[in-house]
């Protein structure tokens, strides 16, 4: 019994020891687990405190919740360690914490698709157990840390779609287990690391949309398992390495939009698993290798936008999996191979645009019944379209524009019921639009512009109720717009410009409620705008110019709030254009050459984005609205040929972007404002034919971009400002018919781009500046006529070799015509008349008319008289001074003689009267004088005076005798 009790005692002790040992182990494990969890939760809460969490993705990260139940957390089975953290798309922001380095057991870290910023911490390189690191689609910046290369167990590294810069770290070659490397859509530069070939297990390599340069390294052949290589949209250069032909697993190769050159390596034909090959947008040249026909798995091939030449060697009979073939924008020649297609073809898209292909429409393509999109545009195809075109029953887009196709459209085109887009513009099609086109219920776009088609627009076209865009510009269509046009409820664009359409706009057009662009310009349309246009609430652009529309505008147009561009120019509209100002979105308004009247509506100023306003050639009255100060985007203002009054509104000084100001032919007055000099973009200023007065402001010299300055036919006075020389870009300068005085400023020589200079009909004085000879670009005219210029014609004008017209007439110029002017071989109009010029006319001017030199008394030579005759006559002639002196002497002498003769005649008349009276009254006649004395005239004359009978006898015919006689009759 003792033995048994001892045994039980011993066994009990052993069980107790085991029990306590188990408790100790469990307690230790529990403590260790709790310690690990406590450590991980501590660092995660630290990380949480550094992040912004607007969506509450981290809301349950709390000490009161077990860490393994936190959002995004994955623990090991025993819940000892955190091995995964996935917060992808959680909306968090902030930076990536260096505290992540404490999670040495972490295998997955996914922070993608958030708003994290800052740099990638190098401490992530301490996560030795990491298998997946995904940081793509954030706002991370800076370089890729070299320490990333320490993650030797990493399988997936995706950092694309960030703002990372710098080079791809060469240390990635250390991650020998890597299968996915995604660095696309960043700002990385430098070259592709040579160590890329060390990644033997790499399956996907995405480097697209960066700034990588240099060649594709030959070492890439080491990526033996590579299936996807995308390096498009970089700056890679050099040849495509032939070694890429050894990548037997490659399925996708995208090298588009680089600067790769050379020819397409035939080694690419060894990529038997290739389904996608994109080499567009490079500098590849040479012919397309026919060996590419062996890529039987190929589904998409894009070789467009290169310099490839030669014929098309690719045959769909071999590339039976091919669905998309894009060879556009090369220099391919010849025609499409006759055996190009099989009836069992899978080809859906064939794009051959912008090459040099020729021949007739390739009937071989009709075997490709699977084709949905066919683009042969911008080639040299010719001939008529085949009537069996309807064999392409799956065709959705037929793009044949800009070729040389002729003839009529085949009616069978209406049988292609799947057709959605018909692009035939830029050919030589003639004839009518077939009525059968109305069967195309799916047709959305029809472009027939720039052809020679004629006839009526068929009413059946309006049965194509899916139509969204119609463009018939530049044909010869006649007749009215179909009255049923309103059936096209989805119509967005209607472009009928430059045809011969006539009649009114159908009222039903107002029911095309989706219409955004309406272009009816350059036709023979008439009538008024239908009131139903008020329903076109989506309309943004309407052009009706060069028609015969008339009448006032319907007030309902003011409801069109989306209008941005309006051009009603060259019609017969009348009344106010206020209804066109209902939209606050206007950018262009052109109403030139109509009969609009009344004031300019101030509501125009509500269109703050208005850039072009053309109201010329109307009957507008009133002043320029002061509200125009809100039009800060205005760059073109044409108010010319109206009846506007007042001054130039000072509010226009806010229009800092103004480039053209045209206000000619109005009744504007006042001074030219100085604030015009603040318009730095001003290129054209025309204030001619108004009544502006005062001086030209010197501030205009600040308009350094001014090309045309026209101030002619005003009442301007004062001197031409010196600052005009600052206008170094000026082409046209016209001040004629004003009252400018003083000399031409010598600074004008700085206007070296002038090709038209008109200063005529002013009061300018002084000599013609020699500096004008430096204006070598003067071509249209130099007109200084009808001024008060003196001195000689400067010989420097002979340097104006491009000048076509020169007018110096009606001045006070003297001296000889400089021989240098004879070198002006471009001159075809010359006027030097009405000056004081002398000497011989240069012989090269003999072809000009006589009127060019009239009233210059000293000029000689053809077309005037010869200089020898002029010299001989000159010897017999007196100088002008002598002639004047002789003239004065003759006039003076003649005057004296006339006065003497008048005196003599008076005396004769008096004596004759005395004789006559004496004979009648006893021989004498008595006249009482003022002094009471009388004059006695003897009728016989020659009777000596009684008191002087002894004196000498007078020799005059009559002797006047004064005697004192008593008047007995008194």
């Amino acid at each position: 019994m003792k033995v048994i009790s001892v045994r039980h005692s011993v066994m009990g002790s052993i069980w107790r020891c085991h029990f306590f040992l188990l408790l100790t182990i469990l307690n230790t494990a529990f403590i260790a687990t709790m310690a690990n969890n406590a450590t991980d939760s501590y660092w995660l809460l630290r990380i949480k405190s550094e992040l912004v969490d607007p969506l509450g993705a981290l809301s349950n990260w709390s000490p009161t919740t077990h860490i393994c139940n936190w959002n995004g957390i994955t623990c090991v089975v025993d819940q000892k360690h955190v091995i995964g953290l996935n917060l992808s798309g959680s909306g968090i922001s902030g930076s990536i914490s260096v505290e992540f380095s404490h999670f040495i057991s972490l295998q997955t870290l996914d922070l993608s698709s958030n708003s994290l910023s800052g740099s990638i911490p190098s401490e992530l390189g301490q996560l030795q157990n990491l298998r997946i690191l995904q940081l793509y689609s954030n706002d991370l910046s800076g370089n890729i840390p070299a320490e990333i290369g320490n993650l030797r167990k990493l399988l997936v590294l995706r950092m694309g779609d960030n703002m990372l810069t710098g080079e791809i770290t060469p240390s990635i070659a250390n991650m020998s287990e890597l299968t996915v490397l995604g660095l696309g859509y960043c700002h990385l530069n430098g070259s592709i690391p040579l160590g890329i070939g060390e990644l033997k297990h790499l399956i996907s390599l995405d480097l697209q949309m960066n700034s990588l340069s240099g060649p594709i390294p030959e070492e890439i052949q080491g990526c033996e398992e590579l299936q996807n290589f995308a390096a498009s949209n970089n700056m890679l250069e050099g040849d495509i390495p032939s070694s890429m032909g050894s990548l037997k697993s490659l399925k996708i190769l995208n090298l588009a939009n680089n600067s790769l050159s050379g020819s397409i390596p035939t080694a690419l034909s060894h990529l038997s698993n290739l389904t996608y090959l994109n080499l567009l947008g490079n500098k590849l040249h040479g012919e397309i290798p026919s060996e590419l026909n062996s890529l039987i798995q190929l589904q998409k091939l894009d070789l467009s936008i290169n310099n490839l030449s030669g014929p098309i060697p690719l045959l769909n009979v071999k590339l039976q999996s091919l669905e998309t073939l894009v060879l556009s924008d090369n220099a391919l020649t010849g025609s499409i191979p006759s055996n190009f297609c099989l009836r069992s073809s899978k080809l859906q898209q064939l794009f051959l645009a912008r090459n040099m292909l020729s021949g007739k429409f390739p009937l071989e393509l009709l075997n490709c019944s699977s084709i949905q999109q066919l683009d042969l545009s911008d080639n040299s195809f010719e001939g008529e379209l085949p009537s069996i075109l309807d064999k392409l029953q799956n065709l959705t887009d037929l793009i044949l524009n800009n070729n040389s196709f002729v003839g009529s459209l085949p009616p069978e085109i209406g049988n292609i019921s799947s057709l959605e887009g018909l692009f035939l513009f830029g050919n030589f099609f003639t004839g009518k639009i077939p009525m059968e086109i109305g069967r195309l219920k799916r047709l959305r776009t029809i472009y027939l512009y720039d052809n020679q088609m004629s006839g009526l627009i068929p009413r059946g076209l309006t049965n194509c109720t899916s139509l969204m865009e119609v463009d018939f510009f530049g044909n010869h269509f006649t007749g009215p717009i179909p009255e049923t046009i309103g059936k096209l409820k989805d119509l967005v664009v209607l472009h009928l410009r430059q045809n011969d359409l006539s009649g009114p706009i159908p009222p039903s057009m107002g029911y095309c409620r989706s219409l955004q662009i309406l272009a009816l310009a350059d036709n023979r349309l008439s009538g008024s705008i239908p009131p139903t246009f008020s329903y076109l609430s989506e309309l943004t652009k309407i052009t009706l110019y060069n028609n015969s529309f008339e009448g006032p505008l319907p007030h309902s147009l003011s409801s069109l709030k989306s209008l941005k561009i309006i051009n009603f120019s060259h019609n017969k509209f009348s009344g106010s254009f206020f209804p066109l100002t209902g939209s606050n979105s206007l950018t262009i308004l052109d109403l030139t050459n109509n009969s609009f009247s009344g004031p300019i509506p101030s509501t125009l100023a509500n269109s703050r984005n208005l850039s072009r306003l053309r109201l010329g050639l109307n009957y507008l009255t009133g002043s320029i609205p002061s509200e125009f100060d809100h039009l800060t985007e205005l760059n073109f203002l044409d108010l010319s040929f109206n009846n506007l009054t007042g001054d130039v509104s000072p509010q226009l000084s806010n229009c800092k972007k103004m480039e053209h100001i045209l206000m000619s032919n109005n009744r504007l007055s006042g001074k030219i404002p100085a604030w015009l000099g603040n318009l730095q973009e001003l290129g054209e200023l025309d204030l001619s034919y108004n009544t502006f007065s005062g001086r030209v402001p010197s501030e205009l010299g600040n308009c350094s971009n001014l090309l045309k300055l026209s101030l002619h036919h005003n009442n301007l006075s004062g001197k031409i400002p010196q600052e005009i020389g600052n206008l170094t870009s000026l082409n046209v300068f016209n001040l004629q018919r004003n009252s400018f005085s003083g000399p031409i400023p010598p600074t004008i020589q700085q206007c070296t781009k002038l090709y038209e200079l008109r200063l005529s009909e002013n009061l300018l004085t002084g000599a013609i500046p020699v500096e004008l000879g430096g204006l070598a670009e003067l071509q249209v005219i130099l007109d200084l006529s009808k001024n008060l210029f003196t001195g000689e014609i400067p010989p420097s004008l002979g340097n104006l070799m491009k000048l076509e017209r020169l007018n110096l007439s009606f001045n006070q110029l003297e001296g000889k015509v400089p021989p240098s002017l004879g070198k002006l071989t471009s001159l075809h109009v010359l006027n030097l008349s009405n000056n004081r010029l002398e000497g011989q006319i240069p012989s090269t001017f003999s072809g000009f008319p006589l009127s060019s030199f009239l009233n210059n008394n000293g000029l000689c030579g053809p077309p005037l008289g010869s200089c020898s005759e002029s010299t001989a006559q000159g010897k017999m002639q007196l100088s002008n001074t002598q002639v004047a002196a002789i003239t004065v002497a003759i006039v003076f002498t003649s005057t004296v003689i006339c006065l003497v003769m008048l005196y003599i005649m008076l005396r004769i008349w008096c004596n004759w009267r005395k004789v006559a009276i004496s004979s009648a009254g006893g021989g004498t006649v008595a006249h009482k004088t003022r002094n009471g004395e009388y004059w006695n005239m003897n009728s016989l004359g020659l009777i000596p005076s009684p008191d002087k009978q002894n004196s000498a006898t007078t020799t005059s015919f009559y002797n006047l005798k004064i005697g004192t006689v008593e008047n007995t009759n008194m």
Side-chain angles (χ1 to χ4, degrees):
M1 294 296 293
K2 286 183 178 180
V3 174
I4 294 173
S5 63
V6 170
R7 180 178 296 176
H8 281 286
S9 176
V10 171
M11 291 298 294
S13 297
I14 292 173
W15 279 109
R16 282 193 296 270
C17 289
H18 286 175
F19 177 74
F20 284 116
L21 180 62
L22 179 61
L23 287 177
T24 301
I25 292 173
L26 290 174
N27 185 55
T28 302
F30 177 75
I31 292 173
T33 300
M34 292 300 295
N36 287 331
N37 287 340
T39 301
D40 286 351
S41 63
Y42 170 79
W43 294 119
L44 285 173
L45 291 174
R46 284 280 299 269
I47 291 171
K48 175 184 177 181
S49 67
E50 298 176 7
L51 297 173
V52 178
D53 180 24
L55 303 180
L58 310 180
S59 59
N60 70 339
W61 284 26
S62 168
T64 60
T65 305
H66 193 278
I67 186 174
C68 295
N69 294 326
W70 290 3
N71 288 337
I73 299 298
T74 301
C75 298
V76 291
V77 176
D78 59 5
Q79 297 189 348
K80 289 183 179 180
H81 302 286
V82 173
I83 60 171
L85 176 58
N86 185 350
L87 297 177
S88 178
S90 298
I92 58 175
S93 60
S95 59
I96 299 177
S97 176
V98 296
E99 312 296 357
F100 278 112
S101 62
H102 296 289
F103 296 92
I104 57 175
S105 300
L106 202 61
Q107 297 179 17
T108 299
L109 177 58
D110 189 347
L111 303 176
S112 62
S113 302
N114 284 292
S115 300
L116 298 172
S117 57
S119 60
I120 299 173
S122 60
E123 287 79 2
L124 292 184
Q126 300 175 21
L127 304 177
Q128 299 294 326
N129 292 304
L130 205 60
R131 302 290 193 275
I132 298 173
L133 177 58
Q134 302 202 124
L135 305 177
Y136 63 88
S137 297
N138 279 286
D139 298 317
L140 301 172
S141 58
N143 296 338
I144 299 173
E147 289 79 2
I148 288 292
N150 297 333
L151 305 177
R152 298 179 182 274
K153 296 181 181 179
L154 202 63
L155 299 175
V156 176
L157 175 60
R158 299 179 66 190
M159 296 181 174
D161 194 15
N162 278 289
M163 295 185 289
L164 301 175
T165 56
E167 298 185 356
I168 300 174
T169 175
S171 65
I172 62 167
N174 300 332
M175 296 183 284
S176 56
E177 301 298 320
L178 204 61
T179 60
V180 176
L181 177 58
L183 301 176
Y185 295 89
C186 290
H187 303 288
L188 301 172
N189 54 37
S191 57
I192 300 174
L194 300 180
I196 198 76
E198 300 297 324
L199 305 179
K200 306 296 184 183
H201 303 291
L202 197 62
I203 295 175
S204 177
L205 175 59
D206 185 1
L207 304 177
Q208 60 188 332
M209 296 296 294
N210 280 288
S211 298
L212 300 174
S213 58
I216 299 173
E218 293 278 354
E219 288 78 2
I220 199 169
Q221 64 182 318
C223 303
E224 299 172 352
E225 299 180 13
L226 194 62
Q227 297 181 18
N228 179 6
F229 179 31
S232 62
N233 296 90
N234 280 283
M235 296 183 289
L236 299 174
E237 55 192 7
D239 294 350
I240 299 174
S242 297
S243 59
M244 294 189 70
S246 62
L247 301 175
K248 303 297 185 181
S249 300
L250 200 61
K251 295 181 178 180
I252 297 175
L253 177 58
N254 186 356
L255 302 177
N257 294 319
N258 281 284
S259 296
L260 299 170
S261 56
S263 59
I264 299 174
T266 57
L268 294 185
S269 63
H270 302 152
L271 305 176
S272 56
N273 290 305
L274 201 63
T275 61
Y276 179 97
L277 175 58
N278 192 345
L279 303 179
L280 80 87
N282 281 284
K283 300 177 181 178
L284 302 172
H285 58 78
E287 297 188 0
I288 301 173
S290 59
E291 290 82 356
L292 295 185
N293 284 313
S294 62
L295 300 176
I296 58 175
Q297 300 295 326
L298 199 61
Q299 297 176 11
K300 180 172 181 178
L301 174 60
D302 193 341
L303 306 178
S304 61
I305 316 179
N306 280 285
N307 298 315
L308 300 172
S309 57
I312 299 175
L314 302 175
L315 303 176
N316 191 234
V317 295
K318 295 185 177 180
L319 300 173
Q320 296 186 18
S321 298
L322 197 63
E323 298 176 358
T324 301
L325 176 60
V326 186
L327 303 178
S328 304
D329 295 282
N330 279 288
L332 301 174
T333 56
S335 57
I336 296 175
S338 59
N339 55 345
F340 182 78
C341 268
L342 284 177
R343 295 189 182 278
S344 59
S345 168
K346 297 180 181 179
L347 192 64
Q348 298 177 10
Q349 297 170 311
L350 178 59
F351 299 106
L352 304 178
R354 291 172 294 281
N355 279 284
M356 294 185 287
L357 301 171
S358 58
K360 295 185 176 182
F361 184 90
L363 296 178
E364 296 77 18
L365 293 180
L366 301 180
N367 294 326
C368 301
S369 57
S370 58
I371 285 185
Q372 297 177 8
Q373 294 176 299
L374 175 60
D375 187 354
L376 304 180
S377 63
D378 294 275
N379 279 285
S380 299
F381 291 110
E382 57 188 8
E384 298 185 4
L385 296 185
S387 59
I388 55 174
L389 192 63
D390 56 349
K391 292 178 66 177
L392 301 176
Q393 281 298 307
N394 293 304
L395 198 63
T396 60
D397 294 283
L398 179 60
I399 309 171
L400 305 178
N401 54 277
N402 295 324
N403 280 285
S404 297
F405 290 115
V406 297
S408 301
L409 300 186
E412 290 79 5
I413 205 168
N415 298 330
I416 310 176
S417 57
S418 58
L419 200 61
E420 297 178 5
L422 182 58
F423 302 88
L424 305 179
F425 61 90
N427 281 284
F428 299 98
F429 289 116
T430 56
K432 300 179 180 180
I433 300 175
M435 288 293 298
E436 290 78 2
I437 208 155
R439 301 174 186 166
L440 303 177
K441 303 300 183 182
R442 297 183 182 179
L443 191 64
R444 298 165 62 88
T445 304
I446 177 170
Y447 284 178
L448 302 180
Y449 63 86
D450 282 332
N451 278 287
Q452 299 175 10
M453 302 185 73
S454 58
L456 301 176
I457 297 176
R459 187 186 184 98
L461 182 67
T462 61
N463 293 330
C464 304
T465 52
S466 297
L467 269 174
M468 298 179 65
E469 297 185 38
V470 175
D471 194 340
F472 294 167
F473 163 80
N475 280 280
H476 305 291
F477 293 116
T478 56
I481 300 171
E483 293 181 357
T484 53
I485 193 75
K487 293 169 63 177
L488 304 180
K489 305 297 184 183
D490 296 326
L491 194 62
V492 175
V493 176
L494 179 59
H495 202 323
L496 303 179
R497 181 188 157 212
Q498 210 171 99
N499 280 281
D500 294 313
L501 299 174
S502 58
I505 298 176
S508 70
M509 189 177 290
Y511 302 118
C512 301
R513 296 175 184 266
S514 299
L515 197 62
Q516 297 180 18
I517 298 176
L518 175 60
L520 304 179
D522 295 307
N523 279 285
R524 294 187 291 114
L525 298 169
S526 58
S528 58
I529 296 178
T532 53
F533 266 38
S534 60
Y535 303 140
L536 303 178
S537 58
E538 301 296 318
L539 197 63
T540 61
K541 178 180 179 180
I542 177 170
T543 57
L544 305 180
Y545 58 89
N546 289 336
N547 278 287
S548 297
F549 293 114
E550 59 187 2
L553 302 175
H555 293 288
S556 57
L557 291 183
S558 60
S559 63
L560 303 182
K561 305 297 185 182
S562 299
L563 276 174
K564 295 181 179 180
I565 298 174
I566 301 175
N567 192 337
F568 286 3
S569 62
H570 304 283
N571 279 285
K572 301 174 184 178
F573 289 113
S574 59
S576 173
F577 66 88
F578 177 81
L580 298 179
T581 64
S583 171
N584 295 338
S585 303
L586 284 177
T587 59
I588 296 175
L589 176 61
D590 191 344
L591 305 179
T592 306
N593 194 16
N594 278 280
S595 297
F596 288 112
S597 58
I600 300 174
S602 60
T603 49
L604 263 180
N606 295 331
S607 292
R608 304 298 172 87
N609 292 318
L610 190 64
S611 61
R612 294 176 68 87
L613 178 59
R614 306 196 64 172
L615 305 177
L617 288 163
N618 280 285
Y619 298 100
L620 301 174
T621 56
S623 59
I624 302 171
S626 59
E627 292 83 357
F628 274 18
D629 61 339
H630 299 308
L631 301 179
T632 55
E633 297 297 317
L634 197 63
N635 62 56
F636 198 117
L637 176 61
D638 182 2
L639 304 178
S640 59
F641 292 93
N642 280 285
N643 294 314
L644 299 174
T645 55
D647 56 6
V648 179
S649 176
Q651 285 77 13
L652 288 176
S653 60
N654 291 333
C655 305
K656 303 296 184 182
K657 297 182 180 180
M658 193 75 79
E659 297 177 9
H660 303 268
I661 298 179
L662 309 178
M663 297 184 179
S664 68
N665 295 86
N666 279 284
R667 292 185 289 155
L668 299 172
S669 58
K671 295 183 178 181
I672 296 177
W675 55 258
L676 287 170
N678 298 328
L679 304 181
Q680 298 297 310
E681 303 299 320
L682 193 62
E684 181 179 13
L685 177 61
D686 190 350
L687 303 178
S688 60
Y689 289 98
N690 281 286
T691 57
F692 290 110
S693 58
R695 297 175 177 268
V696 174
S698 59
E699 288 82 358
L700 281 182
N702 299 329
C703 301
S704 57
N705 291 312
L706 201 62
L707 300 176
K708 181 179 180 180
L709 178 58
S710 296
L711 305 177
H712 56 94
H713 292 82
N714 278 286
N715 298 323
L716 300 171
S717 59
K719 294 183 178 181
I720 301 174
Q722 296 280 343
E723 291 78 5
I724 209 72
N726 297 335
L727 305 179
T728 55
S729 299
L730 199 62
N731 296 153
V732 176
F733 187 30
N734 191 342
L735 300 181
Q736 69 183 47
R737 193 73 71 87
N738 279 287
S739 299
F740 290 108
S741 58
I744 298 175
T747 54
I748 201 169
Q749 65 180 321
Q750 297 164 208
C751 303
T752 55
K753 296 181 180 179
L754 269 178
Y755 67 81
E756 181 177 340
L757 177 59
R758 299 175 187 263
L759 303 177
S760 63
E761 299 183 72
N762 280 286
L763 302 172
L764 299 173
T765 58
I768 297 175
V770 296
E771 290 83 359
L772 289 182
L775 303 178
E777 296 301 315
L778 266 180
Q779 178 176 346
V780 176
I781 193 172
L782 171 59
D783 189 354
L784 306 179
S785 63
K786 296 183 180 180
N787 278 286
L788 302 173
F789 291 118
T790 57
E792 298 184 350
I793 299 174
S796 62
L797 295 188
N799 298 328
L800 306 178
M801 301 304 296
K802 297 180 180 180
L803 193 63
E804 297 175 354
R805 291 184 288 173
L806 174 62
N807 192 349
L808 305 179
S809 64
F810 290 95
N811 279 288
Q812 300 173 18
L813 301 173
E814 55 189 17
K816 296 182 177 181
V817 179
S820 60
L821 294 189
K823 301 177 183 178
L824 301 179
T825 55
S826 298
L827 204 64
H828 59 78
V829 175
L830 173 66
N831 195 346
L832 303 178
S833 65
N834 295 282
N835 280 287
R836 300 174 181 174
L837 301 172
E838 60 185 21
Q840 185 169 0
I841 299 172
S843 59
T844 53
F845 289 169
S846 61
F848 288 104
L850 185 67
S851 59
S852 297
F853 308 100
L854 287 178
N855 297 321
N856 286 283
N857 291 334
L859 282 180
C860 62
L864 300 176
S866 66
C867 289
S868 58
E869 295 176 0
S870 178
T871 303
Q873 292 176 359
K875 294 179 180 179
M876 300 175 61
Q877 295 175 351
L878 300 173
S879 68
N880 291 341
T881 305
Q882 292 172 322
V883 171
I886 293 173
T887 302
V888 171
I890 292 172
V891 171
F892 177 77
T893 303
S894 300
T895 303
V896 171
I897 292 173
C898 289
L899 290 173
V900 171
M901 291 298 294
L902 181 61
Y903 174 72
I904 293 172
M905 292 298 293
L906 285 172
R907 292 190 63 181
I908 293 172
W909 182 80
C910 290
N911 284 333
W912 177 81
R913 288 282 295 168
K914 186 175 182 180
V915 171
I917 295 172
S918 296
S919 299
T924 60
V925 62
H927 295 284
K928 188 175 181 179
T929 67
R930 288 176 296 180
N931 299 321
E933 298 178 338
Y934 291 85
W935 289 83
N936 295 323
M937 185 167 71
N938 195 308
S939 61
L940 300 177
L942 299 181
I943 298 177
S945 175
D947 57 343
K948 296 181 180 179
Q949 290 184 5
N950 298 325
S951 64
T953 304
T954 179
T955 58
S956 63
F957 289 102
Y958 300 98
N959 180 30
L960 296 177
K961 181 178 179 181
I962 301 176
T964 303
V965 181
E966 231 181 79
N967 190 350
T968 57
N969 296 321
M970 293 297 293

